[in-house]
Structure formats: structure tokens, C-alpha cells
């Protein structure tokens, strides 16, 4: 199990490292003799994937990674895995066609696996993304399942908790 998590984590990092850079460019055409302006057209390639790595990513894991795919102008799907847990979510971006923008997310987090499964949580979260690299989130989690490793003495008896994450992200 540890080997498969390590291989998946290594693949996500290598995908981020070796991804192809896209560039924005401006094409300036010939000057139109019948007007006083130049023909300027902008072509901007948008990135549809992003990987985020950090503490409490990958379904609330101690350390994990999430991969997001922007499938429409504002909506994206996210899935992640970490040590020890997994999760997925649906995201609504504040700026259209911008994977680097902040977003609101509805996430499912499965914390722990097998005998170490602590709990499963559904959480609405606000995720802040800086222009480059930094990401952090804050939300409320609602416990939907208590696993075999759940300890009500240390975790409390309330079904609602604060969820947060901090890390880095890379548009692909």
C-alpha cells in the first residue's frame, strides 16, 4: 500500500515538473489603410489542469496532492490522495477560464484507510490561490461516517469541524 501511494505521489510530481509550458502571444497584423488602428488579435492559451501539494491535501491527509481539471469556464473536478487518505470535490472558480483563481469547493474527504480509517467528511471550502504557487483553504466539515480508528474522547462529539489546508499549486 505504501509503495502504491509513493508511486502515485511521484507520478503527480513528475507530471507537474515535466508539463509543457503554454504561452500567451499577441499577433500584430498589417495596418489597415482605411482606418487609423492596427489589427491586433490576442491568443491566450488557457491551462485546464492544476496540481496542489501540501499539508492536509488529498482528502485531509497529513501530506497529500490534489489534481484539478477545469472542465468548463468556471467548474472543475478535483481528486487527491495522500498519507493516509483520499478525497474528491467539485469546484466553482471565481474568475472564468482561470485555473489559478480562487474557488469555492464541495469536497468529500476520507481520512484514513482500513483499520486506520478515522472519519469521512463532507465539507464546503473556500480555497484561496495566490497569483503564483501559494494556496490555502478554510471551511466547515460535517462528519458523515466514523471509522474504526475514531476516538470520541480526543476528537470530540461534535459532528461539525473546521477544515483547512495549506500548500503550493502549479498550473499544468
Amino acid at each position: 500500500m505504501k509503495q502504491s501511494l509513493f508511486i502515485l505521489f511521484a507520478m503527480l510530481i513528475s507530471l507537474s515538473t515535466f508539463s509543457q509550458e503554454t504561452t500567451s502571444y499577441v499577433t500584430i497584423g498589417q495596418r489597415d489603410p482605411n482606418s487609423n488602428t492596427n489589427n491586433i488579435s490576442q491568443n491566450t492559451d488557457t491551462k485546464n489542469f492544476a496540481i496542489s501539494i501540501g499539508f492536509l491535501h488529498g482528502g485531509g491527509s497529513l501530506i497529500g496532492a490534489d489534481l484539478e481539471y477545469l472542465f468548463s469556464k468556471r467548474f472543475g473536478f478535483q481528486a487527491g490522495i495522500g498519507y493516509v487518505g483520499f478525497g474528491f470535490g467539485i469546484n466553482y472558480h471565481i474568475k472564468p477560464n482561470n485555473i489559478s483563481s480562487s474557488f469555492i469547493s464541495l469536497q468529500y474527504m476520507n481520512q484514513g484507510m482500513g483499520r486506520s480509517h478515522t472519519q469521512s467528511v463532507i465539507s464546503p471550502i473556500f480555497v484561496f490561490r495566490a497569483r503564483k504557487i501559494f494556496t490555502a483553504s478554510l471551511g466547515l466539515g460535517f462528519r458523515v461516517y466514523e471509522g474504526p480508528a475514531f476516538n470520541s474522547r480526543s476528537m470530540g462529539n461534535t459532528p461539525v469541524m473546521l477544515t483547512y489546508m495549506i500548500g503550493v499549486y502549479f498550473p499544468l
Side-chain angles (χ1 to χ4, degrees):
M1 182 65 179
K2 289 181 182 180
Q3 288 178 340
S4 62
L5 288 174
F6 177 75
I7 290 170
L8 179 63
F9 191 71
M11 286 175 36
L12 289 172
I13 289 174
S14 65
L15 178 66
S16 165
T17 305
F18 299 116
S19 68
Q20 192 178 84
E21 284 290 320
T22 58
T23 58
S24 300
Y25 55 91
V26 176
T27 305
I28 301 176
Q30 293 285 349
R31 185 177 158 118
D32 186 3
N34 297 328
S35 75
N36 292 332
T37 62
N38 288 338
N39 294 329
I40 297 175
S41 64
Q42 289 188 355
N43 185 0
T44 305
D45 295 331
T46 59
K47 297 181 181 184
N48 291 333
F49 286 93
I51 185 169
S52 57
I53 302 167
F55 297 105
L56 301 175
H57 283 262
S61 300
L62 181 60
I63 187 153
D66 291 307
L67 181 66
E68 181 188 4
Y69 171 63
L70 194 64
F71 62 85
S72 75
K73 288 183 178 183
R74 290 188 185 258
F75 285 97
F77 178 76
Q78 171 179 328
I81 192 164
Y83 181 77
V84 173
F86 64 91
F88 54 88
I90 188 88
N91 305 336
Y92 177 79
H93 283 265
I94 294 171
K95 292 182 182 176
N97 294 325
N98 189 351
I99 194 83
S100 296
S101 71
S102 298
F103 58 88
I104 298 167
S105 181
L106 181 61
Q107 294 188 1
Y108 170 80
M109 296 180 274
N110 193 77
Q111 297 173 332
M113 293 183 200
R115 298 182 81 185
S116 69
H117 180 229
T118 306
Q119 63 185 354
S120 298
V121 176
I122 291 180
S123 179
I125 297 176
F126 174 75
V127 179
F128 169 77
R129 281 190 174 163
R131 282 187 167 191
K132 293 185 178 181
I133 218 164
F134 178 74
T135 184
S137 67
L138 188 63
L140 287 176
F142 300 92
R143 186 178 305 123
V144 292
Y145 180 74
E146 296 174 358
F150 184 82
N151 184 350
S152 62
R153 284 204 235 94
S154 63
M155 301 201 58
N157 216 7
T158 178
V160 180
M161 66 208 73
L162 187 65
T163 59
Y164 48 91
M165 299 174 215
I166 189 166
V168 295
Y169 79 97
F170 306 98
L172 306 177

